[in-house]
Amino acid sequence: MHNVLLHIHPAKVSEASLRFNRTFGLGGMAALLIVIQIVTGILLRFYYVPSPADAYNSIIFLKSQVIFGQFIRNTHHWSGVFLLLIAFLHFLRVFLTGAYRDARKINWLFGLVLLLLIVFSNFTGYLLPWDQLAYWAITVGTTIISYLPLAGNGLRTMIIGGKELNAGTLQTFFNFHTAVLPFLLLVLVLYHFWRVRKAGGVLIPETDEKAEMVPVMPNLVFREFIVALVLLAVVLIFSALVNAPLHEKANPAYSMNPTKAPWYFAGVQELLMHFHPFFAAFIIPAGVMVFLAWIPFIRSGDKPTRHWFFSEKGKQSSKATALFAVVITVAGILFNQYVLNFEIAMPKIPALVSNGIIPLVILLFLMAIYYWIYIKRLRLSRSELVQVLFVFLIVAFIVLTIAGIFFRGKDMELTFPWRV
Amino acid sequence: MNNRIKHQEEKDNPTKSEISRRDFFGLIWKSLGVLVGIEVLGSITAFFYSAKNKSTTVAKQLLEAGPVSSFGMNSVTAFMGGRFYLARLQDGGFIALSLRCTHLGCAISWEEKRKRFICPCHSSAFDINGEVLNPPAARALDYYPVMIENGIVKVDIGNLKERNTFNKEQLTYAQ
Ligand code: HEM
Ligand code: HEM
Ligand code: FES
């Protein structure tokens, strides 16, 4: 163990990189959670049976007959949730400290791939219990694919192996979940580590460049150990206290009310309540992904400061933009829900226009006004402008996700969290 | 001109031709690599496709719904096993509506009081013909062809039909 730990680290690291508020240890936490997922996942496989007839019963058996069965399942469930949250925070920290440039470009791209792999891991795992929640969440989630232009229907049929979820779908998802995706994750995480090292360790502010180099053992390794122990304790305690949900066995003839997509897709689902699926599930997410991948290649011309939010101006504009994003997203949801539904108001026009192009243009117009009135006067550098857009997208996404998870109740009407 | 001279030099100079030989072998190795890559990809594709194509023969799967007389005018009967609702319209025409909402695929249910299908997922509504009453769904409900033989209503549940809107040709009448 000793040797392995020392192997993935260099012999010495800069003292500045050890400060907790530089990385918050988030990357390391994500790595530990992946290990937890693999260990608990392999344990689950000893009891789980991947067929529609038996899957649900095998989970019931696991819960009720197997010592620690419920606990292992809980751990796998909650650590899957934590993993996605932590990886997301790590991604935010990397962006907001400007650690995506130059030598770190490639790692940013592979990081995005890692994030997608974690989402797919969660998505394929979600189907496995074959309960009502799983069946309908995955039905809704995969039907979104059929709105892709041209190939959508064919692609969906290929992925789920038919028109409806069936035994083949479960088998495919099981294979991806317990073989293909873990293998890819493992390989890419190791590559990711190697890249961090190749770039000369984590990014530190230039003011700290003169900081002393200290041996990793014990300075870094001990810190990692403490973070790992605390995280492990949190995950295990959480899993001991809160059970992973399990509804009735899947019934293809009856949808629950409400039927929601898995929580990490709640944002896209909320978007679907307001935009034509072609925009909500395709144009907008694809646009955001392209933007994220493009970020390190936008020529900036300014020198990286490597400080959180670049500069004071960067901090100020980010705060204002976050506020703007919250206001416009909440207002947009309420307006579309209670005041004007474009599709109902304009029944003569195709939904793609009335419920797609029109609201999108209005949204872009409001963003442009915000830019002209406020952002333009700050005279931000190119990187700070990219940051403003990034902050807007992320905050809007978070608001949509919260709305979808906590504020959508029966019939998908807006309600308060305690009535959901 | 220049090129020819260079060429001559390469021939005379053993170290230079050494490199070009290496280049030559490099090229061979690379082509072999590409070839292997194509073979592996081809095999994988064949592996996945061979079984898929065999199972896609569309056989007629007729489900007997019952005698014509047992379905009243303007009524809807659920056939959960076949995943459809059999609707008989005011004029006596039959249509077998898939219970998948055309928005994102949830199972709709029939609300007798208001004579409409509603979807629990994003509250789309459809009338007895399967026509959209309330978005977000944009297309009328899919349907299965209905056949009436010797007074028995039969539904071809292996043959799902998609449509944008309702029209009379989708109905089947008893003679
Ligand atoms: C990044 C890695 C992983 C993530 C994010 C993940 C996530 C999930 C999720 C969300 C579920 C559904 C659990 C529930 O509904 O309560 C699940 C189930 C399952 N996972 Fe994973 N998983 C991962 C890795 C693995 C691995 C490596 C294996 C096995 C080799 C595995 C085996 C299983 C099994 C057998 C189930 C079904 C049991 C159940 O639903 O409780 N998982 N996973
Ligand atoms: C499975 C998920 C991931 C794991 C296990 C992981 C692990 C790590 C670790 C241990 C570090 C060292 C510094 C730190 O802890 O912050 C790191 C740095 C980095 N990660 Fe990740 N990461 C993951 C996902 C991502 C994602 C989603 C992105 C962004 C799109 C990303 C981009 C980067 C970059 C650019 C660095 C270099 C940062 C710097 O030099 O300061 N990683 N990662
Ligand atoms: S799936 Fe029926 S309204 Fe969305």
Side-chain angles (χ1 to χ4, degrees):
Chain A
M1 196 59 209
H2 216 121
N3 284 336
V4 176
L5 276 179
L6 292 181
H7 225 89
I8 52 181
H9 289 311
K12 287 190 168 190
V13 289
S14 161
E15 199 173 14
S17 67
L18 292 178
R19 280 185 214 130
F20 191 62
N21 68 1
R22 194 62 207 160
T23 65
F24 296 106
L26 290 165
M29 291 190 207
L32 176 62
L33 288 167
I34 289 180
V35 173
I36 296 180
Q37 283 310 76
I38 291 177
V39 172
T40 51
I42 289 175
L43 290 175
L44 287 172
R45 271 198 65 153
F46 279 92
Y47 288 96
Y48 178 77
V49 187
S51 81
D54 302 318
Y56 184 76
N57 297 337
S58 73
I59 303 246
I60 296 285
F61 180 82
L62 179 85
K63 274 165 62 107
S64 52
Q65 307 291 314
V66 180
I67 298 176
F68 290 128
Q70 171 84 65
F71 180 67
I72 296 292
R73 174 160 195 261
N74 290 351
T75 311
H76 195 73
H77 180 92
W78 294 119
S79 130
V81 173
F82 284 145
L83 174 57
L84 195 47
L85 289 177
I86 296 273
F88 184 70
L89 291 177
H90 171 63
F91 151 83
L92 291 186
R93 127 42 209 157
V94 167
F95 179 83
L96 295 175
T97 54
Y100 54 82
R101 300 170 165 223
D102 308 324
R104 295 173 177 81
K105 265 184 200 153
I106 304 298
N107 230 6
W108 170 260
L109 291 184
F110 276 93
L112 290 179
V113 175
L114 279 172
L115 199 56
L116 282 182
L117 287 179
I118 293 174
V119 170
F120 290 147
S121 293
N122 265 302
F123 190 68
T124 48
Y126 210 98
L127 180 65
L128 301 186
W130 204 257
D131 62 344
Q132 278 289 73
L133 201 64
Y135 186 89
W136 291 107
I138 302 299
T139 294
V140 170
T142 50
T143 310
I144 292 173
I145 301 169
S146 59
Y147 282 93
L148 296 190
L150 304 178
N153 252 323
L155 191 64
R156 170 169 193 270
T157 310
M158 195 179 87
I159 290 173
I160 68 173
K163 294 250 174 218
E164 288 182 13
L165 302 190
N166 54 47
T169 324
L170 186 55
Q171 172 110 39
T172 308
F173 274 47
F174 181 70
N175 274 335
F176 270 90
H177 188 79
T178 63
V180 180
L181 293 172
F183 174 73
L184 289 178
L185 262 176
L186 221 52
V187 172
L188 285 190
V189 165
L190 288 178
Y191 180 75
H192 193 67
F193 285 176
W194 178 72
R195 276 270 165 193
V196 171
R197 201 173 151 179
K198 196 156 168 274
V202 301
L203 193 67
I204 48 178
E206 69 220 328
T207 41
D208 286 336
E209 247 164 15
K210 304 252 159 49
E212 202 187 336
M213 296 295 276
V214 293
V216 266
M217 182 73 194
N219 294 288
L220 177 56
V221 174
F222 272 29
R223 272 165 230 244
E224 284 173 340
F225 198 61
I226 292 169
V227 171
L229 282 184
V230 172
L231 178 66
L232 201 60
V234 170
V235 171
L236 293 186
I237 291 173
F238 203 88
S239 305
L241 297 178
V242 193
N243 281 345
L246 187 70
H247 288 235
E248 307 92 72
K249 189 171 175 172
N251 177 357
Y254 172 75
S255 297
M256 294 189 308
N257 186 356
T259 289
K260 293 189 177 185
W263 63 274
Y264 36 89
F265 285 150
V268 177
Q269 176 182 261
E270 183 60 34
L271 214 51
L272 274 165
M273 309 284 299
H274 306 285
F275 284 96
H276 185 275
F278 180 62
F279 281 88
F282 181 59
I283 295 286
I284 296 174
V288 172
M289 283 313 292
V290 168
F291 169 67
L292 291 179
W294 192 26
I295 281 177
F297 303 97
I298 297 173
R299 211 166 293 152
S300 57
D302 42 18
K303 263 188 73 180
T305 67
R306 305 161 177 190
H307 285 290
W308 280 87
F309 297 98
F310 287 109
S311 61
E312 273 312 310
K313 259 197 311 194
K315 208 175 276 179
Q316 188 194 340
S317 57
S318 295
K319 268 190 208 156
T321 305
L323 187 66
F324 171 71
V326 171
V327 170
I328 199 162
T329 315
V330 172
I333 292 173
L334 294 175
F335 179 79
N336 193 234
Q337 186 81 24
Y338 295 118
V339 184
L340 177 68
N341 181 319
F342 294 94
E343 201 170 346
I344 295 176
M346 294 176 266
K348 290 273 178 325
I349 306 177
L352 197 65
V353 177
S354 68
N355 212 22
I357 295 172
I358 292 177
L360 195 64
V361 167
I362 294 177
L363 188 65
L364 291 175
F365 179 68
L366 291 174
M367 285 167 71
I369 291 181
Y370 171 71
Y371 173 79
W372 283 104
I373 292 187
Y374 177 69
I375 294 293
K376 193 156 188 281
R377 290 192 316 189
L378 291 179
R379 299 184 178 284
L380 300 177
S381 71
R382 182 81 66 84
S383 312
E384 286 161 346
L385 279 178
V386 170
Q387 179 174 263
V388 163
L389 185 54
F390 180 88
V391 168
F392 178 84
L393 294 173
I394 295 296
V395 173
F397 174 73
I398 293 173
V399 172
L400 287 169
T401 303
I402 291 175
I405 297 176
F406 297 111
F407 291 89
R408 290 278 174 192
K410 196 163 174 293
D411 296 332
M412 290 304 272
E413 296 293 347
L414 287 173
T415 45
F416 290 104
W418 49 93
R419 298 221 211 111
V420 166
Chain B
M1 221 16 223
N2 250 341
N3 272 347
R4 209 174 280 163
I5 293 170
K6 248 198 206 148
H7 211 74
Q8 199 59 40
E9 271 177 7
E10 265 174 23
K11 266 201 184 146
D12 297 343
N13 188 335
T15 53
K16 282 252 170 89
S17 80
E18 189 82 2
I19 287 171
S20 72
R21 188 183 299 150
R22 197 182 290 159
D23 284 351
F24 176 70
F25 276 109
L27 201 69
I28 290 201
W29 284 124
K30 269 182 208 147
S31 336
L32 277 178
V34 170
L35 220 67
V36 169
I38 293 174
E39 273 178 28
V40 169
L41 273 183
S43 318
I44 291 180
T45 320
F47 179 82
F48 280 115
Y49 268 82
S50 54
K52 291 264 160 66
N53 290 340
K54 279 189 194 117
S55 60
T56 50
T57 43
V58 210
K60 247 192 192 168
Q61 282 178 276
L62 286 187
L63 189 143
E64 283 195 17
V68 172
S69 55
S70 63
F71 302 101
M73 302 298 172
N74 201 12
S75 77
V76 168
T77 316
F79 287 84
M80 286 314 173
R83 312 268 164 78
F84 65 88
Y85 284 98
L86 187 64
R88 190 169 197 196
L89 309 186
Q90 201 60 58
D91 66 355
F94 284 95
I95 185 164
L97 300 165
S98 158
L99 57 71
R100 298 264 163 251
C101 175
T102 53
H103 179 228
L104 289 176
C106 288
I108 52 168
S109 54
W110 173 247
E111 201 179 298
E112 186 59 42
K113 252 192 304 179
R114 293 201 286 163
K115 290 274 175 203
R116 47 163 56 192
F117 295 98
I118 48 164
C119 177
C121 290
H122 315 98
S123 51
S124 289
F126 307 85
D127 69 11
I128 194 170
N129 303 322
E131 195 81 278
V132 178
L133 288 176
N134 196 26
R139 289 192 303 111
L141 292 171
D142 299 339
Y143 68 100
Y144 299 99
V146 172
M147 270 145 277
I148 297 175
E149 291 168 3
N150 303 325
I152 305 288
V153 182
K154 295 173 183 174
V155 178
D156 182 5
I157 57 173
N159 192 6
L160 188 68
K161 300 265 194 213
E162 293 187 359
R163 57 177 175 172
N164 284 320
T165 53
F166 167 75
N167 75 49
K168 284 256 171 191
E169 275 155 39
Q170 295 153 356
L171 298 176
T172 307
Y173 293 90
Q175 268 78 42

